[in-house]
């Protein structure tokens, strides 16, 4: 039985935590930053845990 290939695009965007949850970085941080408040930009810097319904689809792409 061959190994499952990891989706390399997904591997660069998502990581699995120690407990098996999927961690992601926030979108909307790269440009048009002048209209966003400092508080909003600061909160977007932090990684967040993905919703369980989305995490199921991503876990297929990053099996290891």
């Amino acid at each position: 039985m061959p190994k499952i290939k990891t989706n390399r695009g997904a591997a660069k965007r998502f990581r699995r935590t120690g407990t098996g949850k999927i961690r992601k970085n926030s979108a909307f941080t790269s440009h048009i930053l002048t209209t966003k408040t400092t508080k909003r930009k600061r909160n977007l810097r932090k990684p967040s845990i993905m919703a369980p319904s989305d995490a199921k689809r991503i876990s297929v792409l990053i099996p290891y």
Side-chain angles (χ1 to χ4, degrees):
M1 192 80 184
K3 291 183 178 181
I4 303 168
K5 279 198 174 181
T6 301
N7 182 298
R8 299 312 294 159
K12 292 166 189 172
R13 288 168 172 81
F14 308 107
R15 283 168 195 249
R16 207 178 286 275
T17 61
T19 56
K21 295 175 183 172
I22 306 292
R23 193 172 69 209
K24 67 180 180 72
N25 285 322
S26 301
F28 311 109
T29 57
S30 57
H31 59 93
I32 317 176
L33 297 171
T34 51
T35 58
K36 295 168 186 145
T37 63
T38 309
K39 181 181 179 180
R40 182 177 166 193
K41 289 186 280 189
R42 184 171 62 244
N43 288 330
L44 285 171
R45 273 187 233 140
K46 303 168 188 170
S48 59
I49 302 297
M50 186 169 278
S53 55
D54 294 327
K56 278 182 192 173
R57 294 185 300 150
I58 298 299
S59 60
V60 174
L61 299 176
I62 48 169
Y64 302 108

